[in-house]
Amino acid sequence: MTEPIRILFVDDEANIIKAMRRIFDEEKYEIFTATSGKEGLSILRDNAGFAVIVTDQRMPEMSGAEFLSKAKEIAPDALRIVLTGYADVTAAVDAINKGGAHRYLSKPWQENDLLHTVQDAVQLYSLHLQNRRLADLVRRQNEELKEWNSRLGQRVLEQTRQMRLQNENLKEINTRLKTSLDGTLSSFAALLELRDPSERHHSGNVAVLAVKIAGEIGLPPNEVETIRAAALLHDIGKFGGSGILLTKKPESMTFAERIAYEEHPVRGQTVVSGIDSLRPAGVLVRHHHEYWSGIGFPDALRGDSIPLGARIVGLADFLERSGGGRDREDAVAFVRDALHREANTRIDPSLVAAGEKVILEVPIFCLGGGDVAEIEVRVERLAPGMLLTRDVVSGTGVLLLRAGAVLDGTSLAALHRILRSDPSRSGLYVQGEKETSCSGSTPGNDGCPQVPS
Ligand SMILES: [Fe+2]
Ligand SMILES: [Fe+2]
């Protein structure tokens, strides 16, 4: 239900009051009248919500201006109108200044003038009220929005904190998974080498060479990781065939044996791709015997259509096989010649420079047929220059250093510090005395390459 619109008329002449009532008879206003300022103030005090106050200026005891000035304090929102005589300009000014009158009408007034003036004032009053309500609403909504924003801010902070925690957990799980995957890779490679002693360290050596070549040409770490995994597992498909595949050189195989041998990359891919995260490595395993010239197997891919990682693993495989069992000087010269001879036929010519650099850095005469011994040492016996032959994993499963790393002062200090509080359960293994072409060297100081187990 809407509030009634209240109007107060104040005039000391009863017949004027009567006339005013009559004028507004048909309007939907609630009309109050008073015959003096005093009575008018009393009505205002007893009844709230007046929209318009109309008063005569000239009244005994209290003038219209005085009355309006007091009425303003009681009903500040009401619009005030004063009625004055023609010549009474001072009184009108007074009423406006003191009483805050909104308008004045000259006496005698026209009925219509009074009616329209009051109607306009009522409309203005309604607009003021509406504005105020809207302003209140906006203010309240702003406060609610502020409150909501602040709650939202807290929620976002809390969610960010939760996400950070989850991220840290995921990171830890990832590290553990990676460590466990590394262990699996090393185990597979070791299994292959166990099957045939002549293959000893082959996969690990190929991994060392492939990682170095990949680093040399600036491949990003994730690609290097895939290449490393593929290199460790590149010949795993030989497991599926007869022992001949492992023991006989391809060039002395019969036709049937050769066909079986050429299936090993595809069988290898099938095995490796069984582990989701190793699928990309599986592709490289499939193509490690492709030739740049297009006469390799299993798919006879040519040039750039051979995945770069597979070209690198193939090159590393070739270097390892070529360098095996020779002494250093012979091996370097022999492999370098082979490298140049095979460029454009077997090997991607753009990788020759990297291959040449790597054979100078990695003493390949220790690779291949060489029988590199591995010894377990206590942490306090570790020394600069020693070559790790297995990953170093802390007691709580954190991978600290990969197989193949050569210890220096910094890595040694870090290992000592971490392993003191979190000792490894899987042991520390380094390269020891060699029995063939590297014989006579002391462990680690001959610069022999990594031999991941
Ligand atoms: Fe192979
Ligand atoms: Fe191989």
Side-chain angles (χ1 to χ4, degrees):
M1 206 174 90
T2 49
E3 297 269 304
I5 293 166
R6 290 180 164 168
I7 297 174
L8 171 64
F9 291 110
V10 185
D11 201 305
D12 56 319
E13 292 178 51
N15 58 337
I16 289 185
I17 290 285
K18 211 169 152 190
M20 284 171 170
R21 272 198 180 280
R22 185 176 43 75
I23 294 169
F24 290 92
D25 216 20
E26 292 186 0
E27 301 296 319
K28 288 179 185 166
Y29 302 145
E30 192 180 351
I31 304 293
F32 289 74
T33 55
T35 50
S36 69
K38 196 175 166 190
E39 190 190 353
L41 292 175
S42 159
I43 289 171
L44 289 176
R45 274 188 212 103
D46 295 343
N47 304 276
F50 276 90
V52 182
I53 302 167
V54 182
T55 179
D56 183 26
Q57 164 64 10
R58 195 178 289 267
M59 293 187 293
E61 292 178 19
M62 191 186 292
S63 74
E66 275 176 275
F67 162 68
L68 286 184
S69 132
K70 287 178 181 162
K72 194 166 71 173
E73 287 169 17
I74 305 168
D77 293 331
L79 286 152
R80 295 169 287 276
I81 297 166
V82 71
L83 307 171
T84 62
Y86 268 131
D88 211 351
V89 176
T90 317
V93 170
D94 212 25
I96 287 166
N97 288 343
K98 273 192 191 160
H102 159 67
R103 280 203 59 182
Y104 74 91
L105 282 178
S106 304
K107 281 174 115 179
W109 33 263
Q110 297 294 314
E111 288 190 4
N112 268 348
D113 279 354
L114 182 63
L115 182 66
H116 290 147
T117 303
V118 170
Q119 281 171 338
D120 286 352
V122 166
Q123 207 171 6
L124 203 58
Y125 172 81
S126 300
L127 276 175
H128 280 169
L129 277 194
Q130 210 174 339
N131 272 347
R132 186 181 299 161
R133 278 193 207 112
L134 283 175
D136 279 354
L137 186 69
V138 169
R139 186 182 44 75
R140 273 203 312 278
Q141 284 179 342
N142 268 343
E143 278 166 11
E144 275 169 30
L145 200 66
K146 226 156 114 188
E147 169 72 19
W148 192 76
N149 257 344
S150 123
R151 264 185 279 148
L152 188 72
Q154 282 164 2
R155 264 186 79 184
V156 168
L157 277 179
E158 176 57 19
Q159 279 178 351
T160 310
R161 197 181 68 84
Q162 296 278 1
M163 279 170 70
R164 199 175 297 133
L165 271 179
Q166 281 173 355
N167 253 346
E168 277 164 17
N169 286 343
L170 275 178
K171 246 191 228 162
E172 198 183 315
I173 290 169
N174 248 343
T175 308
R176 285 184 191 283
L177 276 177
K178 202 164 177 318
T179 307
S180 131
L181 183 65
D182 277 347
T184 308
L185 289 181
S186 299
S187 302
F188 275 150
L191 216 54
L192 188 67
E193 289 162 4
L194 273 179
R195 175 98 187 259
D196 174 20
S198 73
E199 287 286 313
R200 194 164 178 203
H201 307 309
H202 172 66
S203 305
N205 291 339
V206 172
V208 173
L209 290 162
V211 165
K212 276 202 168 281
I213 295 165
E216 199 57 50
I217 62 171
L219 291 187
N222 59 330
E223 285 182 39
V224 175
E225 259 313 295
T226 303
I227 288 169
R228 179 177 173 272
L232 278 173
L233 303 176
H234 71 283
D235 278 340
I236 201 163
K238 286 184 181 174
F239 259 128
S242 76
I244 298 282
L245 299 190
L246 292 163
T247 52
K248 220 170 173 180
K249 297 262 181 220
E251 46 276 17
S252 50
M253 286 176 182
T254 66
F255 183 70
E257 286 165 354
R258 180 79 196 188
I259 288 180
Y261 168 76
E262 290 190 2
E263 284 171 0
H264 84 266
V266 176
R267 271 203 299 269
Q269 181 188 24
T270 310
V271 173
V272 172
S273 300
I275 300 172
D276 257 1
S277 58
L278 290 180
R279 274 176 195 277
V283 175
L284 308 191
V285 168
R286 180 185 181 100
H287 296 297
H288 78 274
H289 278 293
E290 304 285 0
Y291 276 31
W292 181 254
S293 60
I295 58 160
F297 59 90
D299 300 315
L301 297 184
R302 176 195 292 267
D304 283 344
S305 58
I306 308 166
L308 176 58
R311 279 179 262 155
I312 290 173
V313 174
L315 170 57
D317 192 23
F318 170 74
L319 294 176
E320 210 274 351
R321 293 271 184 225
S322 309
R326 299 168 193 279
D327 68 25
R328 182 173 172 75
E329 293 308 315
D330 274 0
V332 170
F334 184 85
V335 174
R336 187 187 282 143
D337 282 353
L339 198 51
H340 285 281
R341 196 174 55 246
E342 299 288 345
N344 283 310
T345 52
R346 180 177 188 144
I347 293 162
D348 173 358
S350 72
L351 295 178
V352 169
E356 206 166 1
K357 191 154 182 225
V358 164
I359 57 175
L360 290 174
E361 284 173 6
V362 177
I364 54 173
F365 66 94
C366 292
L367 302 180
D371 193 4
V372 184
E374 177 189 60
I375 52 170
E376 185 175 4
V377 289
R378 291 200 307 274
V379 64
E380 54 277 10
R381 296 290 305 277
L382 290 173
M386 282 185 171
L387 178 95
L388 294 173
T389 53
R390 299 190 195 185
D391 292 344
V392 178
V393 180
S394 78
T396 52
V398 177
L399 176 66
L400 301 175
L401 277 177
R402 278 199 189 289
V406 176
L407 295 178
D408 60 16
T410 314
S411 56
L412 205 54
L415 276 187
H416 277 290
R417 192 177 63 250
I418 297 168
L419 293 178
R420 202 176 303 132
S421 57
D422 188 11
S424 171
R425 291 188 207 135
S426 48
L428 305 166
Y429 292 86
V430 296
Q431 186 177 301
E433 298 285 346
K434 291 175 292 298
E435 295 155 6
T436 58
S437 47
C438 290
S439 60
S441 322
T442 48
N445 62 9
D446 51 10
C448 281
Q450 66 184 47
V451 188
S453 57

